[in-house]
Amino acid sequence: MKIGLFFGSFNPIHIGHLIIANYMATQTDLDRVWMVVSPQNPLKPKKTLARDHDRLHLVHLGIGDNPKLKASDVEFQLPKPSYTIDTLSFLNEKYPEHQFVLIMGGDNLGSLHLWKNYEQILAGYDIYVYKRPGYELGELAQHPRVRVFEPPPLDISATYIRECLQTGKSVRYLVPEAVWDYLETGKLYRQ
Ligand code: ATP
């Protein structure tokens, strides 16, 4: 199968993420999209980052029963900090039957040249980029490995959702119902 890998901290997952994942899984030649939850970087402050397993759980809740999407914790087992090239190599070895494609926002394409072994990434993998308002794609958009898509834009972020939760505002409809339900229990992002 052709599988798109959508990396994120998903802190927490929101409908912006899910719209992209579903668009890529249904309006391109990808068979599936795996949402890869990035682990807590041990060197970074943990203040606003929920624990790995909470974020993974929320991704499971957000995906629900959509058979095209899958939550992946593959990076939890890899050395930290995780570099995309290492995760890609690991997945290639583990799943030789699949072809992996990288999904990234236009905001990230502009800084791809700063990533570890980015040339190796571009040599070995297709990158499906989705445009984001306000971000120029830069010259890598012309690279033969890069394909550009235009899903409907949605201007929300996990930062905004955390701020709402911290200040007691409702995040209903900004996250899937099951995620909202879980967040309402009040254990995450409140202090
Ligand atoms: P934060 O606000 O905490 O930085 P985020 O909402 O941007 O979080 P991430 O987990 O960092 O979420 O996002 C994973 C990927 O999803 C990133 O590449 C990010 O650019 C992209 N993304 C996040 N929100 C949206 C959105 N509303 N529309 C399209 N892409 C998004």
Side-chain angles (χ1 to χ4, degrees), residues 6 10 14-28 30 33 35 69 103-105 128-132 149-154:
F6 186 23
F10 303 117
H14 54 69
I15 55 170
H17 298 132
L18 285 159
I19 287 169
I20 300 298
N22 187 59
Y23 175 95
M24 288 294 182
T26 58
Q27 299 198 37
T28 71
L30 296 177
V33 170
M35 306 187 75
L69 306 183
I103 295 173
M104 78 173 61
Y128 287 10
V129 172
Y130 56 91
K131 277 193 172 180
R132 295 193 70 184
F149 297 90
E150 289 193 59
L154 185 72

Side-chain angles (χ1 to χ4, degrees), residues 8 16 60 77 87 97 103 129-130 145-146 162 170 181 189:
H60 277 292
Q77 317 141 37
T87 308
E97 71 277 23
I103 295 173
V129 172
Y130 56 91
R145 283 288 205 174
V146 173
R162 291 194 304 274
S170 172
D181 238 8
Y189 308 112

Side-chain angles (χ1 to χ4, degrees), residues 6-11 14 16-17 20 105 107-108 130 132 154-160 162:
F6 186 23
F7 292 85
S9 50
F10 303 117
N11 185 42
H14 54 69
H17 298 132
I20 300 298
D107 49 328
N108 287 327
Y130 56 91
R132 295 193 70 184
L154 185 72
D155 186 16
I156 69 168
S157 66
T159 303
Y160 175 72
R162 291 194 304 274

